[in-house]
């Protein structure tokens, strides 16, 4: 709720209460751009009160803000089987091995 924060190309979604909260009238400087702020609890984004120093210094540019809906995928990273094998991780299991194993085990 206090300090300086800059969020760019972020996904702040599906939080129980507020998505983003920066409420200090003098010590909360928030810059949010190109981000999804979607499907959070009561408020999607809570800025400092209008007319305060923090409000004048804050920016909210090119964001998708909605009380419901789907946000962007949180991560696009996924190791391929080759990368896992090259890393020498003996605990790694390929998707194919996991699929085969799930057919023979009872959960």
């Amino acid at each position: 709720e206090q300090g300086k924060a800059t969020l760019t190309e972020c996904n702040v979604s599906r939080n129980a209460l507020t998505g983003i909260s920066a409420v200090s009238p003098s010590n909360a400087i928030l810059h949010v751009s190109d981000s999804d702020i979607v499907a959070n609890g009561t408020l999607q984004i809570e800025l400092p009160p209008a007319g305060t120093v923090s409000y004048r210094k804050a920016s909210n540019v090119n964001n998708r803000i909605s009380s419901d809906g789907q946000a962007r995928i949180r991560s696009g990273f996924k190791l391929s089987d080759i990368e896992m094998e090259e890393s020498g991780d003996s605990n790694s299991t390929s998707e194919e091995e996991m699929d085969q194993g799930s057919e023979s085990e009872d959960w």
Side-chain angles (χ1 to χ4, degrees):
E1 294 186 7
Q2 295 188 42
K4 181 177 181 178
T6 301
L7 302 174
T8 304
E9 293 186 23
C10 291
N11 177 7
V12 181
S13 302
R14 298 191 178 275
N15 293 298
L17 299 173
T18 301
I20 299 173
S21 181
V23 296
S24 171
S26 60
N27 194 25
I29 301 168
L30 178 64
H31 301 285
V32 184
S33 64
D34 302 309
S35 296
D36 284 359
I37 307 166
V38 178
N40 295 295
T42 308
L43 295 171
Q44 302 310 305
I45 185 167
E46 183 178 15
L47 296 173
T52 63
V53 172
S54 291
Y55 184 84
R56 287 191 296 274
K57 290 183 178 180
S59 65
N60 176 12
V61 179
N62 197 32
N63 297 301
R64 188 170 79 96
I65 301 173
S66 176
S67 61
D68 60 2
Q70 288 293 109
R72 70 180 75 189
I73 296 173
R74 289 186 185 260
S75 177
F77 297 113
K78 178 181 175 187
L79 293 175
S80 71
D81 294 340
I82 294 171
E83 290 171 323
M84 288 191 293
E85 290 172 5
E86 289 177 351
S87 72
D89 185 354
S90 61
N91 294 325
S92 297
T93 305
S94 71
E95 287 181 32
E96 184 177 302
E97 290 170 324
M98 290 188 326
D99 288 342
Q100 291 171 353
S102 65
E103 292 173 5
S104 62
E105 293 184 28
D106 293 326
W107 294 96

